């Protein structure tokens, strides 16, 4: 009997082991745990209001009724995952993307300004780093400003930027992109300063023996050495560029964008709408980071530094 | 010590007349002290050497005695704290700006993002050699160090010894007059080392380059050199300068000859004497 049962166990264990060895297994476990906790949290948080409702309506209710009702409220304190999925399906797939109710439309508005801001921020960050690495006085004079720029809360800066720019007639994409840029350039500068300084003394000495000029040392040594650092900071930057764009949509009560959806949702207590916008933003950020990671993989592999 | 052992007179290329020889490296009272957190480190002390054009000079001495430091001073990678040094009759800095030398470092120091052929081509790119000539020279020098067929490989795909050979090809490919080589064959096995020793000797014989060579191996030093400089433990001082006079087209067989063994013996004695300074 045991001899028959053993192979089955062995096979099962092997499948399980293989699943857990890859990425799929652990990810599935974590996602399942999150969903379970989320449902528990939704029931727990929505219960008091639901009991209130039941009692005011004088309804007879069982525990099963309560659970079912907490997961189907119109404006729950914490919407259940399936409610968010349903809302996202409605606003992403079932609504034409030209409609103001389409999350695709709002995502596009946010995405375009965050990508613009990211691009400007990345270029600005790299330029600052190049300056800081090459000009000693810039290292001393610029670096403190770069760091202190990030100690100012973005929530305080954003309205000023939006309002000031609106006053001189700049509206729409650009002001939001500027806020993204403001957040983005920082990790790029810090990462690239480190990356451009990463060549070891031997590699630098070699350039010296060839009497290479600064330009050659930059392109043939500093720049390629800094690639791993660049991509690490770009991944951080692209994620916060989205945060910047969303924050930029909050202060003026912009009519479009994920930030606008968040704001509108909170005015009207539309928690499901808020959460849908949040989840969409998270997915967008994940996609952006994945995209940068893919470019990183291809680039580093072509440079023989693939992992 | 008495007279320098003179091996059988050869019919090799007669040495150029003394007045036509240029001083490639000339130092007088050269000293270098590193200031470190734990106090001064005396790396070189009162070094006088003269290396003439076409010479092959080996430096041999215990680890940490300042051999690398001396090469780095010649290459203008380190500034002496005392004494004088001239390279090609000018300051090391001017010599470096004139790309007077090729330097083979103790470690290969290849750029990991460049393939072997692009690593070797690096100095040529920097010196503005046109692409077609670059390709030709890279191919030629990779063949010379026995790396033909590895052009497209990245450094991490090669063994340490192969990487070191690539770095030698990189130093040779722009055809510098002066070669500074810091234990270039230290990481190689005997067979490859012997082979490259012969290759290097041929190259030196053929091209008349000046070679400043650092090694830990007595047979290597004796086989390759026209002059062996024995250094003491730190601070690096010169204990003995041993001229040799072997046939220019000698082969490794020479290592069995009495003349060779005699020079090797003198080098070993010099090294021993150096060590007793310590006690
Ligand atoms: N940049 C530096 N700062 C401080 N001390 C140094 C520096 N470079 C070398 N030294 C010291 O100078 C001494 C000579 O070093 P060097 O590298 O020239 O020795 P070496 O003869 O080449 O030794 P090895 O045969 O092991 O390569 C050593 O004691 C070393 O610790
Ligand atoms: Mg050394």
């Amino acid at each position: 009997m045991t001899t028959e049962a053993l192979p089955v166990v062995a096979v099962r264990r092997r499948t399980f082991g293989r699943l857990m060895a890859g990425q799929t297994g652990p990810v599935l476990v974590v996602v399942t745990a999150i969903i379970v906790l989320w449902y528990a949290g939704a029931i727990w948080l929505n219960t008091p209001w639901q009991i209130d409702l039941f009692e005011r309506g004088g309804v007879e209710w069982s525990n099963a009724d309560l659970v079912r009702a907490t997961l189907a409220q119109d404006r729950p304190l914490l919407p259940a995952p399936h409610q968010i999925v349903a809302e996202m399906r409605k606003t992403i797939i079932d609504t034409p993307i030209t409609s103001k109710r389409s999350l695709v439309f709002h995502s596009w508005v946010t995405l375009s300004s965050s990508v613009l801001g990211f691009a400007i921020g990345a270029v600005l960050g790299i330029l600052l780093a190049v300056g800081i690495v090459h000009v000693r006085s810039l290292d001393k004079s610029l670096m403190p400003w770069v760091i202190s720029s990030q100690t100012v809360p973005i929530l305080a800066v954003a309205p000023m930027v939006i309002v000031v720019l609106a006053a001189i007639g700049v509206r729409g994409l650009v002001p939001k992109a500027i806020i993204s840029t403001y957040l983005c350039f920082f990790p790029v500068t810090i990462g690239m300063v480190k990356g451009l300084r990463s060549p070891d003394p031997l590699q630098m000495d070699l350039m010296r023996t060839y009497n290479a000029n600064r330009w050659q040392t930059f392109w043939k040594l500093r720049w390629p050495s800094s690639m791993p650092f660049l991509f690490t900071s770009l991944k951080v930057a692209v994620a916060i560029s989205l945060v910047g764009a969303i924050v930029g949509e909050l202060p003026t009560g912009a009519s479009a964008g994920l930030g606008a959806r968040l704001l509108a949702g909170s005015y009207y207590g539309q928690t499901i709408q808020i959460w849908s916008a949040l989840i969409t933003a998270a997915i967008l950020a994940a996609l952006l980071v994945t995209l940068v990671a893919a470019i990183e993989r291809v680039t580093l592999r072509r440079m023989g530094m693939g992992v | 010590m008495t007279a320098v052992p003179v091996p059988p007179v050869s019919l090799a290329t007669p040495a150029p007349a003394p007045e036509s020889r240029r001083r490639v490296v000339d130092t007088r009272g050269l000293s270098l002290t590193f200031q470190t957190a734990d106090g001064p480190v005396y790396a070189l002390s009162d070094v006088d050497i003269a290396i003439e054009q076409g010479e092959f000079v080996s430096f041999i001495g215990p680890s940490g005695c300042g051999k690398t430091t001396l090469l780095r001073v010649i290459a203008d990678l380190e500034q002496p704290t005392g004494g004088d040094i001239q390279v090609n009759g000018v300051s090391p800095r001017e010599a470096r700006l004139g790309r007077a030398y090729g330097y083979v470092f103790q470690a290969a120091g290849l750029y990991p993002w460049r393939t072997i052929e692009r690593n070797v081509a690096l100095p040529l790119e920097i010196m503005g050699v046109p692409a077609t000539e670059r390709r030709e020279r890279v191919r030629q020098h990779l063949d010379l160090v026995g790396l033909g067929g590895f052009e497209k490989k990245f450094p991490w795909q090669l063994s340490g010894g192969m990487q070191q050979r690539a770095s030698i090809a990189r130093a040779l490919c722009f055809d510098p007059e002066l070669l500074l080589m810091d234990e270039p064959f230290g990481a190689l096995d005997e067979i490859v080392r012997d082979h490259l020793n012969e290759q290097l000797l041929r190259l030196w014989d053929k091209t008349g380059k000046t070679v400043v060579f650092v090694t830990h191996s007595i047979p290597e030093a004796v086989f390759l050199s026209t002059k062996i400089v024995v250094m003491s433990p730190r601070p690096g001082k010169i204990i003995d300068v041993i001229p040799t006079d072997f046939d220019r087209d000698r082969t490794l067989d020479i290592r069995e000859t009495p003349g060779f063994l005699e020079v090797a013996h003198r080098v070993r004695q010099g090294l021993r004497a150096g060590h007793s300074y310590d006690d």
Side-chain angles (χ1 to χ4, degrees), chain A residues 137-181:
Chain A
S137 58
L138 284 187
D139 186 13
K140 294 263 180 299
S141 60
L142 222 48
M143 210 49 176
W145 288 106
V146 168
I147 290 168
S148 55
S149 75
Q150 302 300 306
T151 62
V152 181
I154 189 63
L155 280 171
V157 176
M160 289 190 312
V161 172
I162 303 284
V163 170
V164 167
L165 286 178
I168 58 168
V170 184
R171 288 165 218 272
L173 201 65
V174 174
K176 291 190 288 171
I178 287 174
I179 293 162
S180 290
T181 299

Side-chain angles (χ1 to χ4, degrees), chain B residues 63-64 66-69 106 182-183 214 216:
Chain B
S63 183
K67 305 181 294 295
T68 298
T69 307
Q106 210 165 342
D182 195 351
E183 296 185 40
V214 169
H216 276 142

Side-chain angles (χ1 to χ4, degrees), chain B residues 25-36:
Chain B
V25 179
D26 197 0
T27 79
R28 235 171 285 268
L30 190 71
S31 303
L32 196 155
T33 308
F34 290 109
Q35 299 300 338
T36 69

